[in-house]
Each structure stands twice: as structure tokens, then as C-alpha cells.
Amino acid sequence: MARIRVLTALKIKHLKPGMHADGLGLYLKVRAGNTKSWIFRYRTGGRLRDMGLGPYHTVSLAEAREKAEACRAMRYKSLDPLNERHKEQQAKKIEAAEAITFEKCAESYIAAHKDGWKNGKHADQWTTTLQTYVYPIFKDRPVAAIDDDLVLKVLQPIWKEKTETASRIRGRIERILDWARGKKYRTGDNPARWKGHLDLFLAKRSRVATVAHHAALPIDEMPGFIQILQQEETVVARAFEFCILNATRTSETLGMRWDEYDEKSQLWTVPGARMKAGRDHRIPLAIRSQLILAEMQEIRTSDFVFPGGVNERPLSSMAFLMLLRRLERHDITAHGFRSTFRDWAAERTDFPSEVVEMALAHTIGNKVEAAYRRGDLFDKRRHLAETWAAFCAGTTANYG
């Protein structure tokens, strides 16, 4: 008859390294260095298995016997104690994952990716759109519980009226849920995916979206507007005029540094890191643009050509908008002046469209055309820049 309850506290104190049976599958394993741990040994499917029950300094002899008894009860029911423990651990992991909210996942996703986004404003844009449209619907919901109905509840009310915004929100939800699945916080298909899923419930963007153009100044009003700007003796006005003359985006002008300007070559090179297309953009500067830079050089206070009120910082991204408001021009936008430039070039000049598009730093959509057009048409664009500057000044020029 097998001996049971063999071990005592006194015996355990003097045990040498090895496996020491207490009976009915319970063992105390003593290792070199006198470390001790409890083991429940059993056989299943012809295989001998050892299940750890905890270290001796934490689990007493009485507690070890209780744990061994629970294991024997499982064996009586033809269950494998190790497998049951694994199932319990997995269930706890799932329970913990289900407690992680969508908001928490969104915050973690943004934190993990914001350093890689080219535009520093993207993190704020993500947070703002989520707070406005998504969080009111499922901010505190477990990320594992986000389903088709919840996603559609966010998108359907704004899909027609705010199609572009809704489309971006859908993409952001999809990325966050993909990230959560990668972290094992949820399983199954992504309810925010478009192809073969949401495209069955929502109309195509091209069918419902209305193109939102930036409000542009009419061509014939340009000389008068430039004259008003020139009467403004502020850094913002000089920056705005410079931006218009070079048909650049607001961020490209406001972020301009002195080391980007080659005075000898009358050239401004915008680094690819600050360009939408991700490539360096060479801009030939008209005489008026050079005069503006000479004026800014006289009051230079930092590495930025158009410094803001804070040391070593450029003008605020809102500077042009605030200037337009002060001039009571609520009907136009800073970005709209690029449209005015393009309309002027198309309607009032004979400059080829590829020269104008290159001046605007637009990406060439046709891959074949892009492969053959390797230059940047620089000399032709210098002529275009001077012609545009002359028009803005209200003087005549030899167009085209």
C-alpha cells in the first residue's frame, strides 16, 4: 500500500537534492542550493507529466496537499490539470483584454505612430476627430466588443454630408482595430474594413461626396489685394505676399529657413521633408520675392525667414487666417490663392500646363509621363514666376 503524507516540516528541513514523495502524486523537488518547490506528478495518455504547485517558501505543506487534492479530483474526471490551468490562464487574458477600451487602444496607437507621421498635426487631428465623432458612440466600450453596428452608428450620420471626414474616420477606426487585434485585444474580422464589407452598406464616396474647393480670390482682384498687403507693415503680410507670389502651401512658406535660400542663384529649395510629395522642390524667385527676403534679412532674429513671437519659432499656422479676418476677407482662404494662380495661368497666359503644375509641386499622376519628365522645367518656371509677379503688381508683362 502506497504511503501517504510522508513529509513533515522537520524532514523537509533536512532533505537533500532530489524528488521526495509525500504520496498520491505530490512531490517536493529539492535543487542544489536548497531551493524547494512542489510538484504534482501524474500520467496521462501514457505520458508522465509534472505540474508545478509553487515554491516551498510560499506554499506550505498543507496548501500543497490541498492543491494536489484538487489535481487528483480533475484526474478522476479524466481532465488534465496542466491543460485546465492553461485554459484558466487564457480565460484571464481574454477577460483582461476585454476590459481594454477603444479609447485606450486609440491613445496607444497614436502614441506609437505619431513620431513617424510627416505632419506633426496628424496626432491632434486624429484625437480631435475621434473625440468629436467616435468617442460619443463607443469611447468606453471594450475594443473587443466593437462591431459592425457600432461602426455604422458613427459613419452613417455623416457619410453624405461630411464624406471626406467620414472616410478618414473609417480608416482611423480600421487601423486602431487592426492594431488591437495584433496586440491580442480582439479577434475576428475588422468591422471598419471597406472592401467587401462596409461598401455593402455605404455608398461609394464618389457618388455622395461634394468636392470642397478652397475659396479663392477672383483673378482680377489679385493686384488690389496685393496692394493692400503691401500697405501692411507686418511680418505676416510679407510672408503672405511671398506665399502668394510663389504659389506655395502655407506650411512651406511659414517653415522656410534661411539656409534654404540661395541668394546668388535667386533660388529657394524646400526640403522634401516639408513637401506634400516628399521631394525637394526648387523655386525660382521673382525680383519681388527677393526684395521681400532682403527686407526680412534686415530684421532677422532667428533661423526662420518669417519668425513668430516665440524665439526660434516660425509664424503660427493660423497667421494667414487671422490676417484675412482682420482684413474682413471671410470669403477667401490662404490655400485658395494657389487656385487663383492656376486659373490665371490657364485663362490669361499660354504657359503649358506642365509648367504650371510643376510650379505648384503637384505629383504627376500619369506614370509614363512622370518617367519621361525628369527635369523640373526650372527656366520656364522662372519666366512664369516673373510674369505672375508682374500681374500681381498690376503691371503689364509678356505672358506665355
Side-chain angles (χ1 to χ4, degrees), residues 142-357:
V143 71
I146 306 305
D147 58 14
D148 299 350
D149 291 339
L150 288 172
V151 173
L152 287 171
K153 193 173 181 179
V154 170
L155 299 178
Q156 284 177 328
I158 59 173
W159 190 254
K160 184 176 180 180
E161 301 300 327
K162 300 179 180 180
T163 311
E164 182 63 28
T165 299
S167 180
R168 289 180 181 178
I169 291 170
R170 183 208 64 76
R172 288 166 185 174
I173 295 173
E174 182 180 22
R175 289 184 183 90
I176 292 167
L177 295 182
D178 276 343
W179 179 89
R181 183 173 59 182
K183 288 287 187 178
K184 303 292 191 294
Y185 297 151
R186 61 175 287 119
T187 58
D189 292 333
N190 192 321
R193 68 190 186 282
W194 176 254
K195 193 172 182 180
H197 186 58
L198 288 182
D199 59 351
L200 302 176
F201 303 101
L202 300 169
K204 291 183 179 179
R205 287 175 53 191
S206 58
R207 298 273 180 88
V208 296
T210 55
V211 179
H213 296 287
H214 293 277
L217 187 75
I219 298 172
D220 291 328
E221 292 184 27
M222 180 59 74
F225 183 82
I226 291 294
Q227 188 176 15
I228 292 173
L229 278 186
Q230 291 178 350
Q231 292 171 357
E232 293 276 327
E233 297 181 356
T234 64
V235 173
V236 177
R238 295 293 75 76
F240 203 172
E241 183 183 357
F242 186 84
C243 186
I244 293 170
L245 290 174
N246 294 287
T248 51
R249 298 176 178 87
T250 299
S251 61
E252 294 159 10
T253 295
L254 296 182
M256 182 182 182
R257 293 175 176 268
W258 283 111
D259 59 7
E260 298 171 6
Y261 174 44
D262 184 342
E263 185 176 2
K264 182 177 180 181
S265 300
Q266 302 165 6
L267 167 69
W268 170 28
T269 303
V270 187
R274 293 201 294 107
M275 292 298 299
K276 187 175 182 180
R279 298 191 301 271
D280 289 0
H281 180 48
R282 298 198 310 159
I283 301 175
L285 298 175
I287 293 175
R288 175 56 190 165
S289 290
Q290 296 171 48
L291 291 174
I292 291 174
L293 294 181
E295 185 178 341
M296 296 310 303
Q297 184 69 265
E298 291 179 0
I299 59 171
R300 177 174 176 175
T301 59
S302 75
D303 292 334
F304 289 101
V305 175
F306 303 107
V310 181
N311 289 338
E312 295 302 323
R313 296 287 296 173
L315 287 169
S316 164
S317 59
M318 298 291 287
F320 293 168
L321 175 61
M322 300 308 294
L323 176 58
L324 286 172
R325 287 180 179 176
R326 187 160 57 80
L327 296 176
E328 297 184 351
R329 292 307 303 259
H330 304 283
D331 57 323
I332 56 178
T333 66
H335 194 85
F337 283 89
R338 284 166 56 87
S339 296
T340 303
F341 166 76
R342 183 163 48 185
D343 293 343
W344 163 82
E347 298 177 18
R348 306 291 177 87
T349 80
D350 294 325
F351 284 102
S353 62
E354 59 265 27
V355 176
V356 178
E357 292 300 298

Side-chain angles (χ1 to χ4, degrees), residues 11-17 28-37 56-57:
K11 285 184 179 180
I12 290 173
K13 189 175 181 180
H14 299 287
L15 289 177
K16 295 181 179 179
L28 183 65
K29 185 174 183 178
V30 181
R31 296 180 177 85
N34 203 37
T35 59
K36 305 178 179 75
S37 58
Y56 176 68
H57 60 71

Side-chain angles (χ1 to χ4, degrees), residues 19 65 127 224 374:
M19 292 283 284
R65 285 169 176 167
T127 300
R374 298 185 183 279

Side-chain angles (χ1 to χ4, degrees), residues 100-134:
I100 296 177
T101 65
F102 178 85
E103 180 187 28
K104 182 66 177 177
C105 287
E107 291 173 347
S108 298
Y109 178 90
I110 293 171
H113 291 82
K114 65 180 181 181
D115 291 339
W117 287 333
K118 183 166 67 174
N119 190 332
K121 296 179 182 178
H122 283 175
D124 292 337
Q125 292 170 350
W126 271 66
T127 300
T128 299
T129 54
L130 291 173
Q131 288 176 340
T132 303
Y133 300 102
V134 181

